[in-house]
Amino acid sequence: MQLPRNVIAGPGAIDSVGGICQSMRLKGRSLIVTGKNTKKIAGDIAAESLRASGYDVDFVIVENATIDNVDNAKAVAKEVNADFLVGVGGGKSIDIAKLASTQLDTHFLSLPTAASHDGIASSRASIIKNGETVSIQAEAPLCVIADTSIIMKSPYRLLAAGCGDIISNYTAVKDWRLASKLRNVYISEYAIALSEMTAQMVLESASLIKPGLEESVRLVVKALVSSSVAMSIAGSSAPASGSEHKFSHVLDRIAPKPALHGEQCGVGTIMMMYLHDGDWQSIRDALKKIGAPTTAKDLGIDDEYIIRALTEAHNVRPERYTILGDTGITYEAAVNVALATKVIS
Ligand SMILES: NC(=O)C1=CN([C@@H]2O[C@H](COP(=O)(O)OP(=O)(O)OC[C@H]3O[C@@H](n4cnc5c(N)ncnc54)[C@H](O)[C@@H]3O)[C@@H](O)[C@H]2O)C=CC1
Ligand SMILES: O=C(CO)COP(=O)(O)O
Ligand SMILES: [Zn+2]
């Protein structure tokens, strides 16, 4: 079970990165793995704090979480003799830093600049390999530093997406339980309890989650960490990634302009909950209350891609059994699901 040693969340937390690294007895050179935008938003601040504490700092600017970008980050880390990595940004930057540091056998810190996904503290890395998103076992961050003032200033859409990624745990757990019954797949009741409790907390707090509220940021950041820990306890993304994630991963590949990961997963959860014969309306109501997408139109994705993603989702990670089964959903049935749940009209 790989868990972070420290999780620090609060306003201005990023200013203490250097001191926190010293307190954990990290030495030498750091490599910050970040995006073009997030370098300006937080990467430069983190660098200043690290330098003030005597660390040398280099940067590698990344975009998509592909295996090539992981290899590039590793090459830069070797070139500059980095002793540890710092992932600063959204899920893609953090996943690249996470896998690169694992493969370099060095430590990494996770500095999320948005509450948009639940990988901020997990020991899993979601990486695109040969066009498909695969979940790879990695090391959990040595430390998570979530600066809530930076996260609060990020577009609210990102926080709402993070809620979608957490609420998706509902159908992920239903799929995992189904896989256990039909395929005797190992499940962890502890990971399930934590994953479901986290989703329930966000669902029940939906009316408290609003733009510009520090309390909303704290609530969602804690939930993202909790969901991350559920994956670390399971040693798999299964408690947080089921048929709804398969749907989202296909959209990432086929949609002309994919939406945010958590937004797609939220819409996927509505439809997969319908397939599970569960209370999809409550899922839809909570996402609406939070201000997260509930329709294809909200996602900015044409209906045809939603239907195609539904019919192709079972091909993603076929070894992970879900409600979609081995042969998936037919075109007509996919149209019915999307219409019945008002995802398309
Ligand atoms: N390893 C794991 O356990 C998990 C991994 N993931 C992965 O995470 C990724 C999704 O993460 P996202 O953060 O949605 O994607 P992302 O990393 O692409 O970030 C989304 C956008 O938000 C911007 N952004 C970030 N912080 C900002 C700020 N403070 N202000 C303004 N813009 C900001 C980024 O520049 C980017 O354009 C996917 O690749 C998904 O597979 C998702 C969940 C779990
Ligand atoms: O997004 C995740 C959990 O929210 C990780 O899931 P995957 O393993 O499907 O990439
Ligand atoms: Zn996710």
Side-chain angles (χ1 to χ4, degrees):
M1 216 183 282
Q2 273 268 340
L3 300 170
R5 194 190 305 172
N6 294 316
V7 177
I8 294 138
I14 199 163
D15 298 325
S16 329
V17 175
I20 292 165
C21 289
Q22 281 178 322
S23 71
M24 293 191 298
R25 296 188 288 284
L26 286 172
K27 302 249 179 299
R29 303 184 68 89
S30 61
L31 176 68
I32 296 180
V33 182
T34 189
K36 212 162 48 328
N37 291 343
T38 43
K39 176 178 187 297
K40 287 184 240 125
I41 292 163
D44 291 334
I45 304 171
E48 204 180 311
S49 173
L50 285 161
R51 288 186 179 115
S53 297
Y55 294 98
D56 290 314
V57 183
D58 286 282
F59 282 95
V60 59
I61 303 300
V62 294
E63 209 177 321
N64 288 322
T66 62
I67 199 71
D68 291 348
N69 284 337
V70 170
D71 291 343
N72 177 52
K74 283 162 64 180
V76 173
K78 284 182 191 149
E79 208 179 290
V80 303
N81 291 317
D83 297 292
F84 60 95
L85 275 61
V86 185
V88 180
K92 291 170 187 161
S93 301
I94 289 173
D95 269 354
I96 292 171
K98 192 185 286 183
L99 188 57
S101 58
T102 301
Q103 293 181 350
L104 290 168
D105 195 20
T106 183
H107 288 306
F108 115 92
L109 284 81
S110 167
L111 272 59
T113 56
S116 47
H117 67 98
D118 59 2
I120 55 178
S122 83
S123 59
R124 306 295 299 182
S126 300
I127 301 294
I128 298 171
K129 237 174 155 176
N130 310 320
E132 284 293 348
T133 302
V134 291
S135 176
I136 303 174
Q137 183 61 36
E139 299 240 323
L142 184 65
C143 177
V144 179
I145 302 174
D147 187 316
T148 49
S149 37
I150 288 179
I151 294 172
M152 224 176 75
K153 280 190 226 120
S154 71
Y156 177 75
R157 181 183 168 205
L158 292 166
L159 186 85
C163 295
D165 207 12
I166 295 162
I167 287 173
S168 75
N169 292 3
Y170 274 113
T171 42
V173 165
K174 280 184 174 290
D175 285 324
W176 203 20
R177 283 196 188 286
L178 186 65
S180 163
K181 289 191 184 113
L182 291 179
R183 295 287 163 87
N184 197 32
V185 159
Y186 152 81
I187 55 173
S188 156
E189 288 300 345
Y190 283 96
I192 286 179
L194 185 55
S195 175
E196 278 186 328
M197 177 207 68
T198 308
Q200 192 180 339
M201 282 177 77
V202 170
L203 197 85
E204 289 171 358
S205 319
S207 46
L208 304 177
I209 298 170
K210 293 189 182 337
L213 282 186
E214 166 116 27
E215 204 27 55
S216 305
V217 170
R218 282 179 179 283
L219 190 153
V220 176
V221 165
K222 281 188 272 189
L224 292 174
V225 171
S226 173
S227 191
S228 267
V229 170
M231 285 187 269
S232 295
I233 291 172
S236 151
S237 58
S241 168
S243 47
E244 77 298 323
H245 270 69
K246 292 183 179 218
F247 164 76
S248 172
H249 293 326
V250 176
L251 278 183
D252 285 340
R253 184 167 47 80
I254 66 171
K257 196 171 171 304
L260 290 171
H261 169 83
E263 294 177 331
Q264 294 177 164
C265 291
V267 171
T269 304
I270 297 170
M271 296 189 286
M272 298 308 165
M273 193 54 110
Y274 175 90
L275 287 178
H276 274 288
D277 208 15
D279 182 1
W280 61 271
Q281 294 94 332
S282 307
I283 300 281
R284 185 175 189 274
D285 294 347
L287 289 169
K288 248 180 151 17
K289 228 178 259 174
I290 291 164
T294 59
T295 66
K297 193 156 170 280
D298 292 347
L299 289 175
I301 295 176
D302 288 349
D303 295 357
E304 64 178 286
Y305 297 105
I306 299 294
I307 304 304
R308 216 182 113 195
L310 282 172
T311 58
E312 294 180 17
H314 65 286
N315 295 318
V316 174
R317 204 174 297 152
E319 71 285 0
R320 183 169 293 182
Y321 190 83
T322 71
I323 190 76
L324 295 166
D326 295 327
T327 52
I329 186 170
T330 64
Y331 181 87
E332 296 72 16
V335 172
N336 292 341
V337 173
L339 285 170
T341 54
K342 304 177 187 131
V343 170
I344 67 171
S345 45

